[in-house]
Amino acid sequence: MATKPGKGDGKQVKGKLRTSKNKTDGPGGGGGDADDFDAWMKSRQLLKPDDQLDLTEAELGEEITKVLTPTNTNIVRNLVVYSFKEGEFVLAPVPGNTVTLIAFAGNSLHVDSEEGRRQIEESDEIGYPLPMPNYTVVEQRETDNVDGEEGEGEEDDDGATAKDAAAEDEDVEEEDDEEAKGTEGDEGEGEGEGEGAAARQEDDEPAQQAAAVSSKKRKLINQFNYCERGALTYTNPKRNVDTQTIPPPRSQFGGNVLQWVIYDSYMENFAESQKDGTKKEDRKRGKREKKFRDKSAIAEQLNKKYLKCWQILERMINQNIYDDIAHDYRYWEDPADEFREGEGNLLPLWKFQYDKTKKMNVTDILFNPSYYDLFAVCFGSHDFMKQTNEGYLCLFTVKNPSFPDYIIQTDCGVMCCDIHPTYPFLAVIGLYDGNVAVYNLREDCKEPLYVSRGVNCKHGECVWQIKWGLDMADGEVNFFSVSSDGRVFNWILMQNKLWVTTIITLYRENGLVDGPDGTKVTLKSGGSCMVFHPVDNKVFLVGTECGYIYKCSTAFSSKYLMTYYAHNMSVYRIDFNRFNSNIFVSCGADWMVKVWEDMRPDPLFIFDLGAAVGDVKWAPYSSTVFAAVTTEGKVHVFDLNVNKYKAICIQAVVPKRKNKLTRLSFNEKLAFIVVGDEKGVTTSLKLSPNLRMMVKPPKKQLYLDQNTLQIGKLEKLLSLVRELPEGSNVVPDAATTVRS
């Protein structure tokens, strides 16, 4: 049976060729015996079973992977347990078959793995010398073989490794050496030995080169115990912490138990039980009262919830009823203003009133600084001979004009009020009897949070105006009030009471007169209104019943900063301009409205309205627009930039003979005003476009904002009416060159 020669067959053929050559080339016989050689060759042959399969080279090079999986036959595969959470039997998880005897985390990587190859490519280093394949040696032998043994070399390359090829060379060399020793005199044998030595020298050179290449590989630094410095952590040592507590106290008690002692103990127990019975009755009675109080509290909470729901429904109904007025309130623009140059009109909107205040005067109106649609109205009486026994502070909203949202009732007329700019739920009121009170609108409107008490902690006469001040250095909330008794008080809200301090007493200048007993008496000026400077919070103006306006300071009370001889009768209201704090306007009972500049004794503008002026206010959107109300029931709106001599709108709101207007207020966000009369009715009026014209920036100054334009418009107007020294020329600056 013919078989393909393997690795052993190749070595045998190669040995036979070289041996026969050595034997035939020499003239004489060799030193060895042929039978010994055959015996040696038989011992080197590989035994092959008869039933061995004949595999191809591809099948011989294929690697067959075997996976051993241990399976524990003692594990139950379908175990179920009862789950009380699910209420049924559930399948238990099968435990694993692997038992870990030891686990040790290492940092070694396999050379053939992807991460190992990446590390070798990046650092060009390996942890240990890799075995170098000797296919280079085989190729060298194939190229250097000159004896015509290329076929045998290919067979060696296909079927043997580099180590087997080296072993074959060593075996052949040993055989050649033995033959050479046996035939030392043979010349042919000498030539064969020389050729074999040359071939061995050529075969050793590639192996030495491969060994030199492998020795040049560098090693990784500290490959066994190397670790990153950032991974080192400090292990805290373990310590034993012991605590010791104080042992509980112990006491020993001993006594004799006799018959009378037992009797006395029973009597004491009976007496205590009798007391417990009375206590239980008291407890039951207390529980009943508590339940009643709890029920009343629950009922009150339910009423509040129901009240809120009813308020929402009431607002929805009112919005449906006054739908046309609501649209005019937001979107009405009078188209006729385009054809009326320099004139405007007012559109009446809602009327706000309360049934219990129909015969009272509106004494003050103020918008909430945080909620633009909410405003407060004070109800009292300006007639000192007909004072009412009650007063009201009502807070109306334009969302519900039929009924006030908050109602505060007092024992006398409410003459003035103010809402805190930072805490919009705090409202302070001044009363006709000289008292002041602070209410928290979030909690309860029935009882005041603070109220003045005592003869020395109140004004002697009616409180005409009241204003919140800035918080003090320690954070205390405070306010100021002025009264007809000629004093200005500062009230501080302490923890449980009001602390009052006299800021200034309004004495008349050159007001010394002789008293009944001949002594000199200084006359006082009754205060009628007050307003603080918008920039300097220490400076304020006080209007008096004598017609004077005093400029005062909270820092000292001995002297006035300035005295303005403003009106011939009582000063009713003063208001600062929103865009220039040095400009303010005043009105009084002498029918006059005057515009003043700070520290100038004479007014800049004087307007005669033909009736007592109850209130005057600067517009928040324009620096030259202000409005006033008179006792004739008319509203006068002025725009000094349009007309410096008369009002651009005069409109009657209430009948002249039956009613009078007392107070007004501008809305801070929308273009409408609210006016109050002597019949307890508050009317809202929408301003037409001509009454709220904005300044148009020039073409070369389009970047200017509206605030800068308004300031420039007012400065240009003031430069025309200020008195200048003789011979001086008006030089307008850059801020006054704005065209409107």
Side-chain angles (χ1 to χ4, degrees):
M1 181 176 62
T3 58
K4 184 179 180 181
K7 189 185 299 181
D9 298 337
K11 289 193 287 185
Q12 294 171 3
V13 172
K14 190 174 182 181
K16 287 182 179 180
L17 289 174
R18 290 189 180 183
T19 306
S20 61
K21 182 178 180 181
N22 293 335
K23 288 184 178 181
T24 56
D25 290 340
D33 191 2
D35 296 335
D36 296 336
F37 177 75
D38 294 337
W40 179 77
M41 288 298 295
K42 290 181 179 179
S43 62
R44 297 296 300 270
Q45 289 180 357
L46 298 178
L47 298 178
K48 181 178 179 182
D50 297 336
D51 57 349
Q52 182 176 354
L53 296 177
D54 294 334
L55 301 178
T56 62
E57 295 296 334
E59 292 176 346
L60 288 173
E62 182 182 0
E63 293 183 0
I64 299 175
T65 304
K66 294 183 179 181
V67 181
L68 301 179
T69 56
T71 303
N72 192 354
T73 57
N74 297 325
I75 295 177
V76 182
R77 300 294 175 178
N78 55 353
L79 180 63
V80 294
V81 294
Y82 185 79
S83 175
F84 291 94
K85 180 179 179 181
E86 303 292 338
E88 59 183 5
F89 286 93
V90 297
L91 187 65
V94 180
N97 295 321
T98 305
V99 178
T100 303
L101 300 179
I102 184 172
F104 180 76
N107 55 0
S108 300
L109 300 176
H110 197 273
V111 177
D112 296 336
S113 62
E114 187 67 26
E115 189 173 358
R117 292 190 185 124
R118 194 183 308 112
Q119 181 178 350
I120 294 172
E121 291 175 359
E122 292 178 356
S123 61
D124 197 18
E125 295 178 358
I126 56 177
Y128 52 88
L130 291 176
M132 296 300 297
N134 58 352
Y135 55 86
T136 307
V137 180
V138 175
E139 291 177 357
Q140 187 70 24
R141 290 181 60 189
E142 289 175 356
T143 56
D144 295 341
N145 192 357
V146 294
D147 296 334
E149 298 174 359
E150 294 180 0
E152 295 176 0
E154 293 177 358
E155 293 177 355
D156 285 342
D157 188 32
D158 295 335
T161 60
K163 291 183 179 181
D164 295 337
E168 291 174 5
D169 293 339
E170 291 176 359
D171 295 338
V172 173
E173 289 173 2
E174 291 176 359
E175 294 174 2
D176 294 341
D177 292 339
E178 292 177 356
E179 294 292 338
K181 290 179 182 180
T183 58
E184 293 180 2
D186 193 359
E187 183 179 357
E189 291 178 358
E191 293 177 359
E193 183 179 359
E195 293 176 359
R200 285 197 303 271
Q201 185 176 0
E202 292 175 358
D203 295 339
D204 292 338
E205 288 179 0
Q208 293 177 0
Q209 293 178 1
V213 171
S214 62
S215 63
K216 290 181 181 180
K217 293 292 183 178
R218 291 180 297 174
K219 296 183 179 180
L220 286 175
I221 300 173
N222 199 3
Q223 60 176 334
F224 294 104
N225 57 357
Y226 176 74
C227 59
E228 291 289 343
R229 185 177 181 182
L232 299 178
T233 58
Y234 180 74
T235 304
N236 295 321
K238 296 182 179 180
R239 297 178 181 177
N240 295 329
V241 180
D242 299 333
T243 58
Q244 185 176 0
T245 59
I246 300 174
R250 298 180 181 180
S251 61
Q252 295 181 357
F253 174 77
N256 296 325
V257 181
L258 301 176
Q259 186 175 1
W260 57 82
V261 176
I262 298 174
Y263 177 78
D264 293 341
S265 300
Y266 273 103
M267 293 304 295
E268 291 178 1
N269 189 13
F270 179 75
E272 290 179 358
S273 63
Q274 293 293 329
K275 292 180 180 179
D276 292 340
T278 56
K279 289 181 179 179
K280 287 181 180 179
E281 292 179 359
D282 295 339
R283 290 175 184 172
K284 289 181 180 180
R285 191 181 303 108
K287 287 182 179 179
R288 292 171 187 170
E289 294 177 357
K290 186 178 180 181
K291 286 182 180 179
F292 179 75
R293 289 195 299 269
D294 293 343
K295 289 182 179 179
S296 61
I298 293 172
E300 186 176 358
Q301 292 179 358
L302 290 175
N303 290 335
K304 288 182 179 180
K305 292 182 180 179
Y306 295 150
L307 179 62
K308 186 176 181 179
C309 297
W310 282 112
Q311 285 180 346
I312 296 173
L313 291 175
E314 188 178 14
R315 287 186 179 184
M316 295 173 64
I317 294 172
N318 281 292
Q319 288 179 2
N320 293 332
I321 294 175
Y322 303 106
D323 183 62
D324 297 338
I325 300 177
H327 280 79
D328 292 340
Y329 157 73
R330 277 287 188 178
Y331 310 111
W332 177 77
E333 301 289 345
D334 191 1
D337 279 10
E338 297 180 1
F339 309 100
R340 293 182 301 202
E341 185 176 358
E343 293 182 0
N345 63 346
L346 300 171
L347 176 67
L349 298 175
W350 296 285
K351 288 187 177 181
F352 304 88
Q353 57 185 352
Y354 183 44
D355 293 338
K356 296 183 180 180
T357 61
K358 286 184 177 180
K359 297 181 180 181
M360 296 184 181
N361 299 343
V362 176
T363 56
D364 199 2
I365 297 177
L366 177 70
F367 273 94
N368 193 297
S370 299
Y371 305 96
Y372 70 93
D373 58 345
L374 186 68
F375 60 94
V377 182
C378 300
F379 296 96
S381 177
H382 288 148
D383 190 354
F384 301 105
M385 302 302 294
K386 297 180 180 180
Q387 283 295 321
T388 59
N389 295 327
E390 58 183 4
Y392 290 92
L393 172 64
C394 297
L395 276 80
F396 292 93
T397 176
V398 297
K399 299 176 182 177
N400 184 13
S402 62
F403 199 81
D405 278 12
Y406 300 92
I407 301 173
I408 297 175
Q409 184 178 358
T410 58
D411 296 334
C412 58
V414 181
M415 306 305 295
C416 57
C417 73
D418 193 19
I419 299 175
H420 200 282
T422 308
Y423 312 105
F425 53 87
L426 287 180
V428 59
I429 60 174
L431 304 177
Y432 179 78
D433 59 359
N435 286 313
V436 295
V438 180
Y439 286 86
N440 188 354
L441 302 178
R442 294 189 305 181
E443 295 181 357
D444 189 7
C445 297
K446 297 180 180 179
E447 297 295 332
L449 190 64
Y450 295 92
V451 64
S452 59
R453 294 184 178 88
V455 179
N456 297 326
C457 296
K458 58 172 286 189
H459 284 286
E461 296 184 20
C462 170
V463 181
W464 281 110
Q465 198 158 7
I466 196 165
K467 290 290 182 183
W468 287 101
L470 294 178
D471 294 347
M472 304 183 70
D474 296 337
E476 289 92 349
V477 181
N478 65 100
F479 60 90
F480 298 84
S481 61
V482 63
S483 173
S484 300
D485 61 358
R487 292 182 296 176
V488 178
F489 284 166
N490 180 24
W491 306 81
I492 303 175
L493 275 64
M494 305 299 289
Q495 186 174 3
N496 52 7
K497 66 176 182 178
L498 285 172
W499 186 269
V500 61
T501 305
T502 302
I503 296 297
I504 193 172
T505 303
L506 303 175
Y507 293 105
R508 293 187 183 181
E509 294 183 355
N510 302 324
L512 292 175
V513 296
D514 295 332
D517 54 353
T519 58
K520 296 292 183 180
V521 179
T522 304
L523 298 179
K524 295 181 180 179
S525 296
S528 58
C529 59
M530 177 181 63
V531 62
F532 273 86
H533 197 277
V535 177
D536 190 358
N537 56 354
K538 294 182 179 180
V539 178
F540 61 95
L541 300 177
V542 178
T544 63
E545 296 176 352
C546 303
Y548 297 160
I549 296 177
Y550 298 126
K551 183 180 181 181
C552 309
S553 175
T554 58
F556 51 88
S557 59
S558 61
K559 190 177 180 180
Y560 304 128
L561 300 179
M562 182 71 180
T563 301
Y564 303 92
Y565 301 97
H567 298 272
N568 297 323
M569 298 179 70
S570 177
V571 181
Y572 283 158
R573 278 293 184 267
I574 306 172
D575 191 32
F576 275 98
N577 192 286
R578 304 297 181 89
F579 299 92
N580 191 342
S581 59
N582 294 325
I583 305 299
F584 62 92
V585 64
S586 65
C587 66
D590 58 349
W591 303 1
M592 296 294 176
V593 173
K594 298 182 180 182
V595 179
W596 303 81
E597 187 175 11
D598 191 18
M599 304 306 293
R600 290 179 68 94
D602 298 328
L604 300 177
F605 296 94
I606 301 176
F607 302 97
D608 187 356
L609 303 187
V613 185
D615 199 354
V616 63
K617 289 288 190 304
W618 284 102
Y621 55 85
S622 178
S623 60
T624 57
V625 175
F626 63 88
V629 292
T630 63
T631 55
E632 289 184 344
K634 295 180 180 180
V635 178
H636 299 254
V637 181
F638 293 84
D639 191 348
L640 302 178
N641 190 47
V642 177
N643 195 329
K644 297 184 289 293
Y645 305 103
K646 63 179 181 178
I648 61 175
C649 176
I650 302 175
Q651 186 168 330
V653 180
V654 294
K656 178 180 178 180
R657 297 180 180 179
K658 296 182 180 180
N659 205 345
K660 300 176 182 179
L661 295 180
T662 56
R663 294 287 185 260
L664 74 85
S665 180
F666 273 92
N667 187 273
E668 297 293 332
K669 187 175 181 180
L670 300 177
F672 75 97
I673 61 174
V674 178
V675 298
D677 56 23
E678 290 186 342
K679 300 298 182 181
V681 179
T682 305
T683 307
S684 58
L685 304 167
K686 181 72 176 289
L687 300 172
S688 65
N690 282 350
L691 303 181
R692 45 188 169 90
M693 293 181 61
M694 295 291 103
V695 181
K696 296 180 180 179
K699 294 182 179 179
K700 296 182 179 180
Q701 295 178 334
L702 296 176
Y703 57 88
L704 295 177
D705 58 349
Q706 193 61 223
N707 189 24
T708 305
L709 295 174
Q710 292 291 342
I711 294 173
K713 180 178 69 172
L714 182 60
E715 288 294 333
K716 181 181 178 181
L717 177 65
L718 296 177
S719 64
L720 301 176
V721 298
R722 287 185 179 128
E723 295 182 0
L724 300 174
E726 295 181 0
S728 61
N729 297 325
V730 178
V731 180
D733 53 1
T736 59
T737 59
V738 179
R739 298 179 181 180
S740 60

